[in-house]
Amino acid sequence: MALRGLAHSGPSSRGPSEEAVAAAEERRAPVVVAAGAVREDDEEDDGRGRGLLRWDGFSAWLHCVCVVGFDLELGQAVEVIYPQHSKLTDKEKTNICYLSFPDSNSGCLGDTQFCFRFRQSSGRRVSLHCLLDQFDKDLPVYLKKDPAYFYGYVYFRQVRDKTLKRGYFQKIAPEYFEKSEPYLEAACNDVDQWPAPVPGKTLHLPIMGVVMKVRIPTCHDKPGTTQIVQLTQQANTHISVILPTVHEVDLFRCFCPVFLHSQMLWELVLLGEPLVVMAPSPSESSETVLALINCISPLKYVSDFRPYFTIHDSEFKEYTTRTQAPPSVILGVTNPFFAKTLQHWPHIIRIGDLKPAGEIPKQVKVKKLKNLKTLDSKPGVYTSYKPYLNRDEEIIKQLQKGVQQKRPSEAQSVILRRYFLELTQSFIIPLERYVASLMPLQKSISPWKSPPQLRQFLPEEFMKTLEKTGPQLTSRIKGDWIGLYRHFLKSPNFDGWFKTRRKEMTQKLEALHLEALCEEDLLLWTQKHTEVETVDLVLKLKNKLLQADREHLPVKPETMEKLRTHIDAIIFALPEDLQGILLKTGMT
């Protein structure tokens, strides 16, 4: 997104080569970077008064900006990386080179924007100075940092040029090519001055004369709401662009060719089924893939997804092999070669050009996979999947009525997003209710014993709860909900969701245990026990404080302060030689 703002200004005078610029980030949205740009430790604060070193501000948003050039003899190559100290392995550079250009068959004349995602190389060094962990805990689960992947955002331009052998001239971020590296450096310097990506704050982000107003969502926001809209009633003359969302695409535009089957696609994404989107360009493929993973929000899609995937990708062999079942992944592709290579995949969406707002393409049909034989196969959803739930005719009528009345695409997206949200919540609420019952009673928490364990999740026990407290309480949709749940409990999305919930509940138990300790008269306890036992208690209490800080346990600040007071009182009641030893351990 930052790159789009950077790249929207000016033509190129670079010369007869294909050019590309890609900004590689480390969160699904330009919000959180897991491993910031690695800088030299002896760089000094540049005097901005924020207590940050040079490029710390930039690293909170982006990893780097790359210029990728194409030479007819040499092929693609990364020509420039900025900031210059940013590290990319040869494998990462190769992925960026190929993913920054549309496939030759795409025919992307004019401007094209798209995104891609690829695995980081193993053993990558993470900046020890990165301050993003404290922000990550306040993000919605679907926006939390993703340290195993890079995200790239590309601005691509192609115009015909008869003087070139290939018949056209390709370029990206045209202002860069007119003003060369000083422009790129100035843009990156602007990003380096941005405030930290704090969830919940309204941020003003200036870049090359444009000021963007954004708000990063928090885990406390009500799902489906857009807080930034409520903050824009007053005129802000210095604001150039107001972004109501930092991560959502035009949902209806992407689902428009297949909205008759949107509920079936929701099931496929929910269950983590292997899914391929075959599109005419990287723009269509990347937007559609992002729309698919977004449709189960606020549930996080935990499997791999590739908005734009090419035959040169480092995981190409892994994902196209026929020696094993297709993995749980969503791929966006444009090369016709994939129609044959991925013919064994169980679910394939083939779409045509996405229509401008106000237009609607002919609705595609569900077709058998055996019909996907030729490269010119018609648009359609190729699958033998039988949905568990009956199709909701009400939402289809509502969207069709909107098309007839020429309702704006943004309004249609709001309707579709609300429908998906209510469907996902109806599905998740029974699971949330059952998992909450696995929490031990608060009265079972003793300050002098380890926190109690959560009860085990028992699928059959959960299934029995659905008869009285199932999704029928909140959803009008009929069908085999039980079958859908049984399938979901075997999926990666359930594993990811339950792992997160179990961690949250375990942390809550740890926090309640800390509070129980604080309510005890610990000094009185030490008077009845030996010095060895007292020292052991002090060390355990200090470890509790460290754990609470390290794991961001949901503990009130006053509870932490009370525990520190307890520790100090116990230490100063001990002999001086022991005081000196315990005080040296810190945390007092």
Side-chain angles (χ1 to χ4, degrees):
M1 187 176 300
L3 181 65
R4 291 176 180 171
L6 178 157
H8 271 323
S9 39
S12 163
S13 58
R14 177 79 174 187
S17 64
E18 298 178 355
E19 304 283 355
V21 170
E25 285 191 358
E26 296 180 54
R27 277 283 314 153
R28 185 168 102 224
V31 176
V32 176
V33 181
V38 180
R39 43 161 215 290
E40 296 300 323
D41 293 335
D42 59 354
E43 285 193 74
E44 297 181 357
D45 193 316
D46 62 359
R48 286 173 289 170
R50 294 194 293 167
L52 299 177
L53 299 181
R54 177 109 165 109
W55 299 118
D56 272 349
F58 181 92
S59 298
W61 293 88
L62 299 170
H63 180 68
C64 65
V65 177
C66 299
V67 179
V68 181
F70 184 91
D71 185 275
L72 289 177
E73 284 76 35
L74 302 177
Q76 290 99 327
V78 175
E79 296 178 348
V80 176
I81 300 177
Y82 209 86
Q84 295 174 353
H85 60 260
S86 302
K87 306 296 183 184
L88 290 171
T89 66
D90 289 342
K91 185 178 180 181
E92 289 166 348
K93 290 178 182 177
T94 299
N95 274 322
I96 291 172
C97 283
Y98 284 111
L99 289 168
S100 294
F101 289 94
D103 284 316
S104 57
N105 64 286
S106 296
C108 297
L109 284 174
D111 293 347
T112 303
Q113 297 178 52
F114 60 94
C115 66
F116 56 79
R117 179 178 189 259
F118 66 94
R119 288 179 192 164
Q120 291 189 26
S121 298
S122 59
R124 166 170 288 282
R125 174 187 166 191
V126 176
S127 172
L128 298 177
H129 306 278
C130 192
L131 304 176
L132 299 173
D133 282 347
Q134 58 187 314
F135 307 137
D136 195 60
K137 65 184 177 67
D138 293 325
L139 285 168
V141 65
Y142 52 85
L143 284 182
K144 288 187 181 294
K145 64 182 181 182
D146 194 356
Y149 290 88
F150 275 128
Y151 289 78
Y153 297 84
V154 180
Y155 186 106
F156 178 86
R157 175 175 289 182
Q158 177 172 293
V159 293
R160 294 197 178 280
D161 188 339
K162 295 180 179 178
T163 64
L164 302 181
K165 294 179 182 178
R166 293 173 68 116
Y168 50 79
F169 173 46
Q170 296 175 331
K171 55 193 175 186
I172 294 182
E175 184 80 0
Y176 161 75
F177 299 113
E178 183 176 273
K179 300 178 181 177
S180 195
E181 285 196 39
Y183 175 84
L184 184 59
E185 182 177 2
C188 290
N189 276 320
D190 279 352
V191 176
D192 191 43
Q193 298 296 322
W194 285 3
V198 181
K201 278 192 175 182
T202 300
L203 307 174
H204 293 172
L205 310 178
I207 185 163
M208 305 311 292
V210 175
V211 179
M212 297 180 288
K213 184 176 181 178
V214 302
R215 179 186 179 276
I216 299 166
T218 78
C219 56
H220 308 295
D221 292 349
K222 182 180 178 182
T225 60
T226 305
Q227 304 281 337
I228 193 75
V229 175
Q230 302 167 15
L231 301 170
T232 59
Q233 301 303 316
Q234 298 179 350
N236 290 310
T237 54
H238 69 289
I239 302 297
S240 310
V241 180
I242 296 173
L243 300 177
T245 176
V246 295
H247 65 286
E248 294 170 338
V249 296
D250 188 337
L251 204 59
F252 181 72
R253 180 171 176 266
C254 297
F255 272 93
C256 197
V258 293
F259 78 75
L260 290 177
H261 317 297
S262 55
Q263 188 174 304
M264 179 183 72
L265 295 176
W266 173 86
E267 285 190 23
L268 292 175
V269 177
L270 178 76
L271 300 174
E273 287 288 305
L275 191 59
V276 181
V277 175
M278 294 185 176
S281 77
S283 179
E284 276 93 351
S285 77
S286 60
E287 285 191 32
T288 304
V289 169
L290 293 179
L292 286 168
I293 64 169
N294 187 252
C295 77
I296 62 170
S297 181
L299 190 67
K300 181 180 181 178
Y301 181 80
V302 301
S303 297
D304 193 7
F305 62 93
R306 304 299 177 93
Y308 176 48
F309 189 76
T310 75
I311 60 175
H312 302 287
D313 195 283
S314 53
E315 278 77 56
F316 174 76
K317 289 184 179 179
E318 175 186 342
Y319 284 163
T320 58
T321 179
R322 291 174 179 263
T323 60
Q324 59 189 33
S328 175
V329 63
I330 300 179
L331 299 180
V333 304
T334 62
N335 195 322
F337 178 73
F338 283 106
K340 180 179 180 181
T341 308
L342 299 178
Q343 193 173 356
H344 63 294
W345 277 47
H347 320 290
I348 297 173
I349 305 171
R350 184 150 200 152
I351 60 174
D353 292 318
L354 295 181
K355 301 294 182 182
E359 297 183 31
I360 184 166
K362 182 180 179 182
Q363 286 297 290
V364 302
K365 298 179 179 180
V366 175
K367 303 177 181 181
K368 294 181 180 180
L369 281 166
K370 65 180 182 180
N371 293 332
L372 188 68
K373 291 180 179 179
T374 61
L375 299 182
D376 59 350
S377 296
K378 294 180 179 179
V381 180
Y382 294 81
T383 180
S384 56
Y385 177 80
K386 183 179 179 182
Y388 287 97
L389 304 182
N390 301 335
R391 191 160 72 178
D392 187 346
E393 299 295 340
E394 289 298 317
I395 185 65
I396 293 173
K397 290 178 182 177
Q398 195 174 358
L399 292 173
Q400 286 177 328
K401 183 178 180 181
V403 172
Q404 294 166 359
Q405 296 177 344
K406 299 189 182 302
R407 185 185 293 146
S409 180
E410 293 84 356
Q412 293 279 77
S413 286
V414 169
I415 293 170
L416 189 56
R417 184 168 282 110
R418 186 188 304 124
Y419 163 73
F420 281 137
L421 174 64
E422 291 173 354
L423 186 57
T424 303
Q425 287 180 324
S426 292
F427 183 80
I428 289 296
I429 286 172
L431 281 162
E432 292 278 8
R433 188 182 291 115
Y434 172 71
V435 167
S437 74
L438 305 180
M439 188 82 164
L441 296 176
Q442 189 164 349
K443 65 181 182 181
S444 67
I445 299 174
S446 167
W448 305 113
K449 296 180 181 179
S450 297
Q453 299 292 309
L454 298 174
R455 286 200 306 115
Q456 187 179 358
F457 187 105
L458 300 174
E460 291 308 316
E461 185 180 65
F462 164 68
M463 294 299 173
K464 291 176 182 177
T465 68
L466 297 176
E467 184 178 350
K468 292 183 178 180
T469 57
Q472 70 275 8
L473 297 180
T474 53
S475 177
R476 63 177 177 262
I477 299 174
K478 307 295 182 183
D480 183 11
W481 285 98
I482 299 290
L484 185 62
Y485 279 113
R486 289 192 186 279
H487 195 155
F488 177 72
L489 294 182
K490 299 175 184 177
S491 74
N493 285 332
F494 169 73
D495 289 341
W497 172 82
F498 183 60
K499 182 180 179 181
T500 300
R501 293 294 290 116
R502 184 170 53 197
K503 180 181 178 181
E504 291 171 350
M505 294 167 71
T506 301
Q507 289 182 335
K508 180 64 176 175
L509 285 172
E510 292 285 354
L512 291 172
H513 187 247
L514 261 181
E515 291 177 10
L517 273 170
C518 285
E519 296 306 314
E520 290 293 307
D521 189 340
L522 299 180
L523 196 57
L524 178 63
W525 182 91
T526 61
Q527 294 170 3
K528 300 176 182 179
H529 292 76
T530 65
E531 286 184 358
V532 173
E533 291 172 316
T534 300
V535 170
D536 186 56
L537 174 65
V538 170
L539 295 176
K540 286 180 178 178
L541 292 176
K542 287 189 173 189
N543 283 333
K544 282 282 185 183
L545 284 175
L546 287 169
Q547 179 191 16
D549 185 62
R550 182 178 63 250
E551 299 179 9
H552 305 296
L553 297 183
V555 182
K556 298 175 183 177
E558 51 266 33
T559 300
M560 298 282 282
E561 190 55 40
K562 193 173 182 179
L563 192 57
R564 290 189 183 97
T565 303
H566 277 313
I567 293 173
D568 287 344
I570 295 171
I571 290 176
F572 289 118
L574 290 168
E576 287 189 7
D577 57 335
L578 284 177
Q579 287 183 31
I581 294 172
L582 291 173
L583 288 172
K584 284 181 182 178
T585 62
M587 289 299 297
T588 59

